[in-house]
Amino acid sequence: MSSAREKILDAYEESLTTVGVAATTLDAVARIAGVSKGGLIYHFPSKEALADALIARFAGMARASADQLQGDAATTIRHFIEMSSSVRDELDTAWLAVMNLSRNGNQSATRAILELERSWHDAILESTGSPLVAHMTKLVGDGLYHSTSFVTESRESLPEAAKLLPGEEEREAIIRTLLDLLED
């Protein structure tokens, strides 16, 4: 993909995550990307084409993320819990943009998010061999992601929000508890 296309997709993603789907116009995306509207339309003739390209890029990131969960149970669970505890990376930003498209009725976006969720679950299941541990790991990770997202946004105005996050020792205890379930 050309750098102009990537720059436009980055701008589209930024607009979706900051002002939402309704306010994300082709003019706004072109302005953020620093290209003319004609330049944008050369690469993406419509908002639908722009959305399709962003979803495809997200799907590639999602596959790479699930591939990182390959390994033994301990490695997979640890990586997923740690990954769930970090926000504001490339995948997180793409996830937020695609989620906004999904919430506004884009079925391709919904399918891409469900595929990511399923691929994470399946990778954890493959590594652990336990449907229960896979499901519990996924739910714990989802909760950590939710709390981390909230705390990151509220840290300045609500420092007590950081108490919602487990510290390193508590995260290790969570991982050990999940692994202990495999021995039962």
Side-chain angles (χ1 to χ4, degrees), residues 152-174:
T152 301
E153 294 171 3
S154 304
R155 189 168 305 223
E156 306 277 322
S157 60
L158 298 170
E160 67 274 11
K163 295 176 185 172
L164 296 172
L165 294 178
E168 190 173 325
E169 286 181 21
E170 194 173 5
R171 267 197 320 275
E172 285 300 318
I174 290 167

Side-chain angles (χ1 to χ4, degrees), residues 73 77 121 124-125 128-139 177-182:
I77 289 173
H121 176 272
I124 298 165
L125 176 60
T128 64
S130 169
L132 177 64
V133 172
H135 195 73
M136 289 179 71
T137 300
K138 183 72 178 61
L139 290 172
T177 301
L178 290 166
L179 290 169
D180 287 348
L181 291 171
L182 292 174

Side-chain angles (χ1 to χ4, degrees), residues 1 10-11 15 33 64 67-68 81 83 101 105 115 122 124 136 139 143 145 152 163 165-166 182:
M1 207 180 274
D10 290 344
S15 185
D67 288 347
Q68 291 176 350
I81 296 300
M83 179 178 72
L101 290 171
E115 181 57 36
D122 291 351
I124 298 165
M136 289 179 71
L139 290 172
Y145 174 79
T152 301
K163 295 176 185 172
L165 294 178
L182 292 174

Side-chain angles (χ1 to χ4, degrees), residues 94-110:
W95 185 90
L96 292 170
V98 173
M99 181 59 77
N100 279 344
L101 290 171
S102 174
R103 287 181 178 150
N104 280 274
N106 186 310
Q107 294 301 304
S108 294
T110 301

